Amino acid sequence: MASNTQNSPLLDHDIEVAVSESRASSSPTTSRSSSTGGWRSALYLIAVGFAERFAFYGVSSNLITFLSGPLGQSTATAAVNVNTWSGAASLLPLLGAAVADSYLGRYRTILLSTLLYILGLCLLTFSALLPSLSGSYCQESSEFTSCYSQLQVIFFFFSLYLVAFGQGGSRPCFQAFGADQFDGQDPEECKARSSFFNWWYFGICSGALVTRLVSSYIQDNVSWVMGFGLLCIVMILGLFVLLLGTRTYRYSIIGDGQSPLVRIVKVFVAAFRNWRTSSTSEPRGNLHHPSSEQFKFLNKALLAPDSDDLKEDMKLCTVFEVEEAKVVLSLVPIWSTCLVFAIVLAQMSTFFTKQGATLDRSVMGGLNIPAASLQSFTSLIIILLIPFYDRVFVPMASAFTRKPSGITTLQRIGTGIFLSVISMVIAASVEKKRLKTAEKYALVDLPSVTIPMSVWWLVPQYLLIGVSDVFAMVGLQEFFYDQVPNELRSVGVALYISIFGAGNFLSSFLISAIEQATGGTGRDSWFSNNLNRAHLDYFYCLLAGLSAVELAVFMYFAKSYRYRSGGTI
């Protein structure tokens, strides 16, 4: 046996890959039987995803209204706080995914995170009730009115970030756990798994649509306490559905207790440590992955050190760990060239909503619809288009491309980015018309007066954002799940989510920088509290330009990307 090992240079690599894949994607025989997994289990998780997104968007969609209303923050400050919270909520899944893949497993992480999520929503509901319980009085200033004491504001943000931590653990695991219910080695289940990503997004967008219509109306017209309380009740129902499907799920074997992210960092540290070591040194194994020809500097992590210390040798990276790091590193160009797309999406729950609040929102019977409910048009177009995409577009495209998915995931993402450019151009045009209307009716210095322009003018930009989501968002989900090693599936989903976390932070930075550059004594910034003197049209034009540049760079990297599964752009 010893001689066989020495004579087979691929054995080390093959064993490591086999062990890793069996650990992450295999489970006891019963877990792959016909009685577990498949669409039945996935439907439970899609239902829970509906509840989770109902709760999350019930908070985020109208958060800028709460911050600039009861909390009394300025428009720019409220937008920055919304983006910062959304950014944190989108980056925390990296932590949740690492815990799931290395220690607790996806199901346990979902369960514990959901409990934390519910606690955060309960405290958020209580924080909205605090001013009335304490008998606080609203303090008015020249720009805004605040009904919260400083301590109550701190408690509100504590509750808000507790919600972010809860969804940070559950969000990446829901999707990865749902995809785990389909065997990637079986051709039929592999095709069903690709379809699952479409229907998963359909489910969570349905949750977003319902909450934008229902909870936003309750928050604006009944009470914030009841609006937040409804989110808590729906999340409790989601927990019940999750537990209901426990016996039907397929479970992956938990990792070895070492964080996948730690392993990847270890490879970079080892490569840096050995960067002066002669490349003629004998590496421990051979690299036979498509990414092996890329990032060859990481091969230095395989070189044996001069020291004969056994402890030092135990710290050496394995061939699989180097391959793992290379695969993740190959995703960085795609990740970074989607950040402006994330900045564009961040405007939907901030400045789009503030625009809508200035327009005529009356419908039949004199009812005023909440400005945040306009985001439901985005969810609605997604819900309508995803079945069309899955059942009509994919078969038609497959007939020409001979690809099961119709077009590749990178082509799908690129199409979504292109549509986001058009949405920003339209948004800038509509905003320019809004400003001219305010000037025409001498309402420039009367920000509290409704501008005689229908809120339906904003619908096209919401619809185009929704269409871009069908392409880019679903494409990103499938791409980052499929292109990482099996052990890193939750981390892959978290990487996709982190695009929007980084995008929200970049949006906050961009808004703060522009506010400082364009504002000042005697000047109205692009984000003036009086939107009639602001210039959101300039901001949208800037985003359209940045998105166009991003699309060109994305296409460059996409053409050179080599899929793990062998696809091409």
Side-chain angles (χ1 to χ4, degrees), residues 165-184:
F165 269 96
Q167 74 87 44
S170 61
R171 189 178 176 190
C173 297
F174 272 136
Q175 194 169 351
F177 191 51
D180 287 345
Q181 306 309 308
F182 303 95
D183 187 355

Side-chain angles (χ1 to χ4, degrees), residues 237-444:
L237 293 175
L239 175 62
F240 174 75
V241 173
L242 174 69
L243 296 173
L244 202 62
T246 300
R247 292 182 178 274
T248 73
Y249 302 140
R250 291 174 179 174
Y251 300 91
S252 298
I253 302 298
I254 301 173
D256 57 7
Q258 185 181 36
S259 168
L261 296 178
V262 170
R263 290 200 304 268
I264 292 168
V265 170
K266 185 177 74 171
V267 170
F268 282 93
V269 171
F272 178 78
R273 183 187 60 196
N274 295 336
W275 73 280
R276 288 185 176 178
T277 306
S278 173
S279 59
T280 58
S281 301
E282 186 67 24
R284 297 163 296 101
N286 290 321
L287 303 173
H288 287 270
H289 190 277
S291 66
S292 299
E293 298 303 315
Q294 298 176 309
F295 315 117
K296 289 186 177 181
F297 69 94
L298 290 179
N299 294 351
K300 295 279 188 178
L302 293 171
L303 300 179
D306 297 331
S307 173
D308 293 328
D309 186 8
L310 180 62
K311 291 183 178 179
E312 181 68 21
D313 188 62
M314 290 173 64
K315 295 179 182 177
L316 290 174
C317 300
T318 65
V319 174
F320 176 74
E321 288 172 342
V322 173
E323 289 288 8
E324 192 177 54
K326 285 187 175 184
V327 170
V328 172
L329 188 59
S330 70
L331 301 177
V332 171
I334 304 300
W335 185 93
S336 59
T337 52
C338 292
L339 292 176
V340 180
F341 175 73
I343 295 176
V344 169
L345 292 191
Q347 310 319 311
M348 191 170 60
S349 59
T350 53
F351 293 128
F352 281 17
T353 302
K354 292 297 289 184
Q355 278 179 282
T358 68
L359 301 177
D360 180 9
R361 293 175 283 121
S362 61
V363 292
M364 292 182 299
L367 177 69
N368 273 352
I369 62 171
S373 68
L374 289 174
Q375 296 171 51
S376 62
F377 283 102
T378 300
S379 302
L380 182 62
I381 195 65
I382 291 171
I383 291 170
L384 293 175
L385 280 185
I386 282 182
F388 175 83
Y389 184 95
D390 191 68
R391 299 302 178 187
V392 179
F393 176 79
V394 171
M396 289 177 61
S398 296
F400 291 96
T401 64
R402 304 298 180 188
K403 297 180 183 298
S405 59
I407 58 176
T408 66
T409 50
L410 289 178
Q411 288 172 334
R412 187 171 184 174
I413 295 165
T415 303
I417 295 175
F418 172 74
L419 291 171
S420 72
V421 176
I422 299 176
S423 73
M424 283 295 98
V425 172
I426 291 176
S429 300
V430 172
E431 174 61 10
K432 186 169 292 187
K433 177 177 175 56
R434 190 190 70 83
L435 293 175
K436 286 183 178 179
T437 304
E439 185 177 355
K440 177 182 177 181
Y441 288 91
L443 298 176
V444 172

Side-chain angles (χ1 to χ4, degrees), residues 497-520:
I497 297 171
S498 71
I499 292 173
F500 303 95
N504 275 286
F505 280 118
L506 287 174
S507 180
S508 295
F509 171 78
L510 195 60
I511 291 170
S512 297
I514 293 173
E515 171 79 3
Q516 197 161 16
T518 62

Side-chain angles (χ1 to χ4, degrees), residues 195-216:
S195 183
F196 164 78
F197 285 101
N198 288 323
W199 290 105
W200 165 263
Y201 203 57
F202 177 91
I204 63 176
C205 286
S206 297
L209 172 63
V210 175
T211 197
R212 284 164 176 165
L213 290 174
V214 177
S215 63
S216 294

Side-chain angles (χ1 to χ4, degrees), residues 11-138:
L11 188 59
D12 182 40
H13 174 256
D14 292 340
I15 289 175
E16 289 171 31
V17 172
V19 169
S20 174
E21 291 184 348
S22 66
R23 246 187 349 212
S25 61
S26 299
S27 49
T29 305
T30 55
S31 70
R32 291 295 179 204
S33 69
S34 59
S35 62
T36 59
W39 278 111
R40 181 178 64 162
S41 300
L43 288 174
Y44 281 114
L45 296 169
I46 289 174
V48 183
F50 173 96
E52 190 274 331
R53 289 292 89 182
F54 182 98
F56 183 81
Y57 283 112
V59 175
S60 66
S61 296
N62 213 18
L63 184 58
I64 193 168
T65 304
F66 187 86
L67 295 181
S68 59
L71 254 62
Q73 296 183 342
S74 67
T75 299
T77 301
V80 167
N81 280 329
V82 170
N83 287 330
T84 301
W85 176 77
S86 298
S90 297
L91 288 177
L92 283 169
L94 286 170
L95 175 62
V99 170
D101 284 351
S102 304
Y103 302 102
L104 296 178
R106 287 163 197 157
Y107 178 76
R108 289 193 186 95
T109 304
I110 290 171
L111 191 59
L112 293 176
S113 299
T114 301
L115 292 172
L116 186 64
Y117 208 142
I118 292 170
L119 175 62
L121 290 171
C122 288
L123 293 179
L124 197 65
T125 305
F126 182 68
S127 71
L129 188 63
L130 279 176
S132 60
L133 290 177
S134 61
S136 300
Y137 294 98
C138 297

